[in-house]
Amino acid sequence: MLLIPAIDLKDGQCVRLRQGRMSDATRYSDDPAAMAAHWLEAGCRRLHVVDLDAAFAGEPRNQGCIADIVRRAGAVPVQVGGGIRSLETAAAYLEAGVAAVIVGTAAVRDFDFLERLAARFPRQALFGLDARGERVATDGWDITTDASVLELARAADALPLAGIVYTDIERDGMQSGINAAATLRLAAALSTPVIASGGLNDLNDLAALKAADEQAGNLLLGAITGRAIYAGTLDFKQGQALLDA
């Protein structure tokens, strides 16, 4: 399992939100590319980047920062989400060296879009399933839809996706522990790799997630970490070493 550092971009800065609220943002760096270099030096093997401004605007807002991060990352894959609501936007990111694009709102609103995206860019798209309970949230988590997380995930499972990023919104940025039970229930129902997200706090949380995953049959591709590694409650090197052990 990979421990995947998150770099969330707002107004060209690296920030972290609580439960997706733009009004509750903590700024950690004015130089996102330097922050990426820090995690690369710590040994990360994948980076998770979200354009928060784009998630609300519906179109890219921090392309320059993302291009700088991709250049710094070199051979380390970078997955990017936030405001990717057209094939043209996805293509531009992939042509710029992004390894995989993450789509959520556009896919929930129009599942045909996810089908077209996966067909055009097989294994280069991830479906971002942002859950509030058993329902999917969209538009930067502002709107909770009637769409079922499990039903959408099963529909997406038939597509040539790179994976599904499952986020428990109520835990995101709260450092209250990943919702391992819900994440693994979802992963067990799918053949598509699942990445856990939302709530990771410390090595104990990570150890518990690893143990649950091993008991379930090693279903998870990785776990995204944000506020914990920035606040210092989780040491990235120790976390990845624990997962590698």
Side-chain angles (χ1 to χ4, degrees), residues 48-178:
H48 176 80
V49 178
V50 177
D51 185 339
L52 295 172
D53 298 307
F56 288 89
E59 57 185 14
R61 287 287 188 265
N62 290 281
Q63 302 100 309
C65 288
I66 293 170
D68 289 342
I69 289 170
V70 169
R71 281 193 291 271
R72 289 284 188 98
V76 173
V78 178
Q79 59 190 45
V80 173
I84 300 174
R85 299 179 190 173
S86 71
L87 292 179
E88 292 73 23
T89 298
Y93 275 131
L94 294 169
E95 289 167 6
V98 168
V101 292
I102 308 163
V103 293
T105 295
V108 177
R109 287 178 176 170
D110 178 11
F111 195 78
D112 287 346
F113 169 70
L114 185 63
E115 293 178 325
R116 296 193 304 273
L117 180 67
R120 182 170 172 184
F121 304 110
R123 312 298 174 195
Q124 290 183 284
L126 299 112
F127 186 15
L129 273 175
D130 302 322
R132 186 169 278 120
E134 296 180 359
R135 299 297 169 185
V136 179
T138 62
D139 297 85
W141 303 351
D142 263 2
I143 298 173
T144 301
T145 72
D146 291 328
S148 160
V149 171
L150 183 57
E151 288 178 8
L152 270 179
R154 282 177 168 160
D157 200 35
L159 305 177
L161 296 171
I164 289 175
V165 178
Y166 174 78
T167 303
D168 183 329
I169 294 170
E170 301 303 325
R171 300 197 183 206
D172 190 76
M174 303 305 291
Q175 295 179 260
S176 56
I178 279 183

